[in-house]
């Protein structure tokens, strides 16, 4: 059973930074492709970035210069470091675990999801 819990969401000023964490059950982060998605109010859920079992990362093109995905295999935690935040980054951020052999930002590849954590960026 895969269980994911995100935390670290907050309200910040534009230009600020925030780090989200996702605690995963068991050895989820070592055996699965791990990803961050986000969903703004009234919009579709979109991919932010993925990290494969070897630690290689791929990002949405518009975010790769400001966002960094990493993980701590020993602790079983996935991270999302977000810098120079913009009001357009306001969304609920979700952690997901999926197929380690299809590790890319394609939502159907991820059967396991956390409950989400809210990030609000003010002007």
């Amino acid at each position: 059973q895969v269980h994911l819990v995100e935390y670290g969401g907050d309200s910040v000023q534009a230009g600020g930074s925030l780090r989200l964490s996702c605690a995963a059950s068991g050895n989820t982060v070592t055996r699965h492709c791990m990803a961050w998605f986000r969903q703004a109010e009234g919009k579709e859920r979109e991919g932010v970035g993925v990290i494969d079992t070897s630690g290689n990362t791929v990002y949405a093109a518009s975010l790769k210069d400001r966002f960094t995905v990493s993980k701590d295999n020993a602790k079983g935690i996935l991270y999302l470091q977000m810098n120079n935040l913009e009001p357009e980054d306001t969304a609920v951020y979700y952690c997901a675990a999926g197929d380690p052999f299809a590790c890319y930002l394609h939502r159907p590849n991820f059967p396991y999801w956390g409950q989400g954590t809210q990030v609000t960026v003010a002007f």
Side-chain angles (χ1 to χ4, degrees):
Q1 184 79 14
V2 174
H3 189 57
L4 304 170
V5 178
E6 305 94 335
Y7 54 97
D10 204 348
S11 295
V12 298
Q13 294 291 319
S17 297
L18 200 60
R19 188 176 79 162
L20 305 182
S21 302
C22 171
S25 57
N27 53 10
T28 298
V29 296
T30 58
R31 291 190 173 187
H32 291 78
C33 173
M34 301 297 297
W36 287 98
F37 286 76
R38 69 183 185 180
Q39 187 167 16
E41 188 172 351
K43 295 188 177 181
E44 295 288 319
R45 193 170 299 188
E46 64 175 356
V48 173
V50 296
I51 185 166
D52 67 15
T53 54
S54 298
N56 301 302
T57 54
V58 176
Y59 298 94
S62 62
L63 301 175
K64 65 182 180 68
D65 293 333
R66 298 188 295 119
F67 288 16
T68 302
V69 178
S70 62
K71 62 178 180 172
D72 186 322
N73 287 333
K75 294 182 179 179
I77 299 177
L78 176 73
Y79 300 103
L80 177 65
Q81 177 68 42
M82 303 183 291
N83 297 326
N84 194 21
L85 283 161
E86 304 170 351
E88 293 74 20
D89 297 318
T90 294
V92 177
Y93 284 73
Y94 296 91
C95 167
D99 186 350
F101 302 107
C103 197
Y104 48 92
L105 285 172
H106 183 53
R107 186 176 170 181
N109 290 358
F110 295 90
Y112 307 108
W113 294 82
Q115 82 290 346
T117 186
Q118 177 71 47
V119 172
T120 302
V121 184
F123 287 95

